[in-house]
Amino acid sequence: MKARVLFGVIGFVFVLLALYVLPPIVLALAVSALCVLASYELVHPTGLVKDLWMLRACLLSSAAYALGTCVPGALGLDFPVQMMQRVVVLFLLVALFACLLRRHDAVQSGEVMAGFFGGLILPYFLLALWRIFAMDGGEFLVLLPLVAAWGSDTCALFAGMAFGKHKLAPVVSPKKTVEGAIGGVIGATALMLLVVFLMNRYAGQNIHYAGALIMGAAGAVIGQVGDLSFSIIKRQTGIKDYSHIFPGHGGVLDRFDSVIFVAPVVELVLLVLGPAV
């Protein structure tokens, strides 16, 4: 428990420093590292990708996609990001299917699908954090998916402890309850409205409360779907944690499972509706 709390405090301080004190390249490298670690955790400890060359192609693509997306913007470079992304997608597709053709007697076609999801789709979802950060006022907006995801988790925990009676997913996650899930949605929505109020009043933002309502409620629901989805993968592959890189918290996918689903939702709301609806 001490390690969990201590690491949580250190992580919180690092996030504040990366957002408001350190140069953007620090955040770019941190988000890129999260992408590569998440890719590794999904395909290797689970055994979803067993072939070594497919694993290498997956991790190389994840690193290239994440670094090529974040670093140029952090350094203010004129870099063809979209062209790079297309090249990485093509490379991974060719590499995965080449491995399948070369070793079709030992490699399963499902490894191609897992490798593609782990090498590209998963980083794309996580990189929504960086894309939000790159928006006007992004140093504040990037906190919104964290509020929705982790706020929902925290509120669901306390609501479940206080009122939980009906199991939400007894096989996948025995401790989660329907009452806790509802409390998570209500709590995350209220918390999002409060955070948006504070940002608008003290941080010079202009986020409409209708957008905050959508981000809070929809983010909480989709975040719980993400949490349960990654729990299913752990149960089906027989692992307890994806890794132990975060003391007391597990791996990237253990800590950011809901954020991976929530961040693109918040990004979409901000893109469609704008900070001010």
Side-chain angles (χ1 to χ4, degrees), residues 54-77:
M54 294 179 77
L55 177 62
R56 289 170 175 170
C58 175
L59 297 181
L60 178 61
S61 298
S62 178
Y65 193 92
L67 290 170
T69 300
C70 298
V71 172
L75 297 178
L77 301 177

Side-chain angles (χ1 to χ4, degrees), residues 235-258:
R235 284 195 171 272
Q236 290 185 343
T237 56
I239 61 175
K240 182 179 180 180
D241 294 316
Y242 282 100
S243 74
H244 302 286
I245 189 171
F246 299 144
H249 293 268
V252 173
L253 295 181
D254 296 297
R255 184 66 274 175
F256 287 83
D257 47 7
S258 54

Side-chain angles (χ1 to χ4, degrees), residues 71-189:
V71 172
L75 297 178
L77 301 177
D78 185 12
F79 182 77
V81 174
Q82 292 186 349
M83 180 64 71
M84 175 279 303
Q85 292 172 340
R86 293 187 177 94
V87 170
V88 173
V89 172
L90 182 59
F91 163 78
L92 185 58
L93 277 176
V94 172
L96 291 175
F97 279 103
C99 291
L100 178 64
L101 293 172
R102 182 77 173 83
R103 303 188 62 232
H104 59 86
D105 55 336
V107 175
Q108 300 296 317
S109 57
E111 293 184 59
V112 175
M113 304 301 109
F116 188 78
F117 184 88
L120 284 178
I121 305 301
L122 193 57
Y124 176 79
F125 284 172
L126 259 177
L127 286 171
L129 293 173
W130 177 260
R131 294 191 295 270
I132 294 173
F133 177 74
M135 297 178 180
D136 291 337
E139 67 273 18
F140 297 104
L141 298 178
V142 75
L143 296 175
L144 298 180
L146 305 182
V147 170
W150 293 338
S152 173
D153 289 346
T154 303
C155 292
L157 173 63
F158 286 108
M161 292 171 59
F163 309 107
K165 293 181 179 180
H166 303 87
K167 298 296 184 181
L168 178 65
V171 176
V172 177
S173 187
K175 295 183 179 180
K176 294 186 183 299
T177 63
V178 174
E179 292 81 4
I182 295 173
V185 174
I186 295 173
T189 304

